[in-house]
Amino acid sequence: MPKKPTEKGMGKEDIKLQTPKGMRDLIGEEYYRYQGFFEKASEVAIYYGFQPIETPILESEGLFYHSVGAHTDIIEKELYTLRTKGGDRLALRPEGTAPIMRAYFEHGLQSQPQPVMLYYHGPFFRHDSPQKGRYRELRQFGLEVIGSSKSITDALVIRLVNTILTEAGLPDLTIEINSIGDRDCRPIWKRELVNYYRKHAKEICADCRERLKDNPLRLLDCKNPKCQTLKIAAPSVISYLCTGCKQHFKEVLECLEAMNITYTINNNLVRGLDYYSRTVFEISMAPAEGEADGLPLALAGGGRYDYLSRALGSKKQVPAVGVAIGADRVLAAPGVANLLPRLIKKPKIFFIQLGTEAKMKSLSIIEILRHTKTPIAHSLSKDSLSAQLGIAEKVNIPYAMILGQKEVIDNTVIIRDMRSRAQNVVKLDELANYLKTLKA
Ligand code: HAM
């Protein structure tokens, strides 16, 4: 039963005026930084023919169990779940790939020309331990190419994420790539890996003993110093890849080389989601000097997921590949560009009004300015000339437009050049043309 407002934890005295742990408000400049980044990333995606998609924040809980995998950290430890009043079990989406595959089938996108290429951005939720670069509400920009098994599509998503991050001002990127095989060759490698780790079960950490039972590939992901030596000698996937997987991997690497994209093969890269097959990759930046944990934080990760369609109940196998960029990490990275959204224009004119009549006419004059697409700033709630001029000086806007009692009667405004302090009286019906002559 839902608590009543009088019950413990629900009274007014229990209200905390703060966001839940690991979640943040984005206000003003910070909001624009996210918007600017998503705009830049979308621009690149649109150029390459991707279409936008937005899926709900809530999805059925089962969708993630059968895609991300029941024994992954995301599902076992981090999924936010809820039961609706009607009894449905829903989850706050922890990632975007499974919902997009769901949407692909729900909307019959398999009958469109393939591959279907989709981009998205928005908030995702993982009940992780909040720390630098790790939030419970995280924001991603993602790309999914659904309906092609060709290696060029793997290279395409790697290329695009590389382009987006470079154009966001982050040129020192490390691309780690691996192939984790397909359903023919992976089970053989997995068996060898399990045999190897079983022999050394006493030497591995407690988490790895769990992994050995539930999710053996994640043994290769362990960061515990105790497990590092064993990892080096563990059976490497590369020796077990079948001819098809080997060929696919070779082609992806050749495409990257043809585009002069530098990469590192990391045979221990397995990724934390179960739906991958063949190509997996992560892009990171080296930590800044003196950073505590010394491990590079992944800015983006992705890979091929040829079996996800089947895992979600489709009879037909629909091969696909994609990537998601962690926008929070990108925007916190040293050197990231301040990409302002197109919507935001630097104000050219500071609008100043003096007296009651002028204040009343202000909004109509601001509308004239809006129609001429002249970006302005104002302080309509202020009354005195000095207070308003003071703000105009501080924000470094090149012109002020002054509307006083006399100007209201004469249907004019005064335009003042804030640098030279020269002033001109301009008739309202000539204002639009006059504004075009002003240099920014
Ligand atoms: P992922 O590696 O789980 O992949 O997440 C992608 C990126 O999201 C990470 O590289 C990281 O930058 C960011 N990220 C993940 N967790 C957090 C967190 N707690 N706080 C801040 N940022 C975080 C996926 O989500 C897959 N859906 C990617 C994909 C798309 N694979 C195929 N298509």
Side-chain angles (χ1 to χ4, degrees):
M1 280 290 283
K3 284 184 173 184
K4 300 213 175 70
T6 48
E7 283 181 57
K8 195 164 175 347
M10 291 290 280
K12 233 185 197 167
E13 66 285 359
D14 299 308
I15 299 175
K16 286 196 192 115
L17 295 180
Q18 63 185 59
T19 52
K21 205 168 157 191
M23 305 192 185
R24 291 173 309 145
D25 298 313
L26 297 180
I27 303 176
E29 283 300 311
E30 202 182 7
Y31 181 97
Y32 288 143
R33 278 166 30 80
Y34 275 78
Q35 201 183 11
F37 172 69
F38 288 142
E39 211 174 80
K40 163 82 336 201
S42 306
E43 181 193 304
V44 175
I46 292 166
Y47 185 83
Y48 277 87
F50 285 74
Q51 303 274 335
I53 181 167
E54 191 168 315
T55 59
I57 303 286
L58 287 166
E59 293 276 353
S60 77
E61 197 179 334
L63 176 71
F64 299 110
Y65 278 94
H66 295 288
S67 53
V68 174
H71 294 295
T72 56
D73 282 356
I74 294 182
I75 298 304
E76 277 186 343
K77 302 182 189 157
E78 298 169 5
L79 197 65
Y80 283 89
T81 56
L82 61 98
R83 196 181 277 271
T84 66
K85 290 191 173 110
D88 294 334
R89 290 173 59 160
L90 301 182
L92 287 178
R93 59 182 191 182
E95 63 97 52
T97 309
I100 287 172
M101 197 52 128
R102 192 253 323 124
Y104 174 88
F105 288 115
E106 184 172 339
H107 303 287
L109 300 186
Q110 63 275 44
S111 59
Q112 288 190 5
Q114 304 293 299
V116 171
M117 306 207 293
L118 300 164
Y119 76 90
Y120 57 98
H121 54 83
F124 296 87
F125 300 85
R126 297 182 188 181
H127 194 267
D128 212 336
S129 352
Q131 52 191 284
K132 191 164 173 276
R134 221 171 265 286
Y135 298 104
R136 288 184 174 172
E137 183 187 28
L138 54 128
R139 291 170 174 84
Q140 289 185 342
F141 179 90
L143 299 167
E144 311 292 351
V145 180
I146 307 180
S148 170
S149 57
K150 296 279 170 33
S151 50
I152 184 74
T153 53
D154 307 40
L156 170 74
V157 295
I158 298 174
R159 162 98 235 191
L160 292 203
V161 69
N162 191 49
T163 302
I164 292 167
L165 293 176
T166 307
E167 292 193 5
L170 306 177
D172 295 323
L173 301 168
T174 307
I175 302 179
E176 289 186 284
I177 189 164
N178 192 19
S179 172
I180 55 167
D182 63 11
R183 65 172 156 224
D184 294 328
C185 56
R186 193 173 355 160
I188 306 167
W189 168 52
K190 203 164 150 182
R191 204 184 315 126
E192 288 304 308
L193 201 63
V194 170
N195 287 342
Y196 169 81
Y197 272 96
R198 273 204 191 122
K199 278 190 214 138
H200 298 278
K202 287 203 180 98
E203 298 155 56
I204 56 181
C205 69
D207 282 347
C208 277
R209 273 197 288 277
E210 285 305 306
R211 291 181 186 124
L212 187 53
K213 278 191 260 156
D214 298 331
N215 198 349
L217 297 198
R218 296 292 285 173
L219 285 160
L220 298 175
D221 225 19
C222 181
K223 307 283 183 298
N224 191 321
K226 196 175 169 184
C227 304
Q228 300 313 302
T229 328
L230 270 183
K231 213 158 84 173
I232 296 168
S236 169
V237 61
I238 219 77
S239 330
Y240 294 86
L241 291 183
C242 61
T243 318
C245 287
K246 243 187 227 157
Q247 180 61 21
H248 185 91
F249 193 40
K250 186 168 159 272
E251 285 171 14
V252 175
L253 300 181
E254 279 169 358
C255 284
L256 296 181
E257 280 156 28
M259 294 186 284
N260 284 327
I261 294 181
T262 314
Y263 60 82
T264 310
I265 297 175
N266 174 359
N267 290 137
N268 287 338
L269 183 69
V270 287
R271 309 261 305 129
L273 304 101
D274 274 2
Y275 50 60
Y276 292 114
S277 53
R278 293 194 164 175
T279 317
V280 287
F281 60 90
E282 270 181 7
I283 304 189
S284 51
M285 258 178 90
E289 244 171 79
E291 287 234 333
D293 67 2
L295 291 169
L297 215 49
L299 296 174
R304 184 157 272 292
Y305 46 96
D306 291 347
Y307 309 128
L308 177 59
S309 54
R310 284 275 181 81
L312 297 183
S314 155
K315 286 204 181 70
K316 200 173 154 234
Q317 183 175 311
V318 182
V321 62
V323 64
I325 304 176
D328 310 282
R329 293 185 185 175
V330 169
L331 292 171
V336 67
N338 193 13
L339 298 165
L340 284 182
R342 274 199 211 117
L343 207 59
I344 303 307
K345 303 272 184 292
K346 201 172 171 315
K348 190 171 172 187
I349 288 179
F350 195 91
F351 181 81
I352 293 172
Q353 36 68 43
L354 297 163
T356 317
E357 280 81 8
K359 207 180 273 283
M360 290 204 310
K361 213 173 169 188
S362 303
L363 291 175
S364 312
I365 293 185
I366 291 178
E367 270 303 286
I368 300 179
L369 296 171
R370 194 174 68 81
H371 283 295
T372 62
K373 297 196 167 36
T374 310
I376 66 147
H378 66 81
S379 190
L380 285 180
S381 61
K382 295 269 183 294
D383 298 326
S384 83
L385 178 63
S386 59
Q388 295 180 72
L389 270 177
I391 299 172
E393 300 263 5
K394 234 188 252 158
V395 289
N396 208 11
I397 296 177
Y399 299 94
M401 175 180 289
I402 304 166
L403 180 72
Q405 191 81 5
K406 182 168 182 320
E407 289 73 37
V408 170
I409 295 166
D410 295 350
N411 270 326
T412 58
V413 288
I414 297 168
I415 305 285
R416 177 186 173 108
D417 184 323
M418 296 296 284
R419 290 159 289 201
S420 68
R421 298 185 187 261
Q423 296 196 160
N424 267 325
V425 176
V426 182
K427 290 213 171 82
L428 277 187
D429 51 11
E430 289 165 12
L431 184 60
N433 281 335
Y434 183 82
L435 291 174
K436 286 185 203 147
T437 67
L438 294 182
K439 281 193 234 95

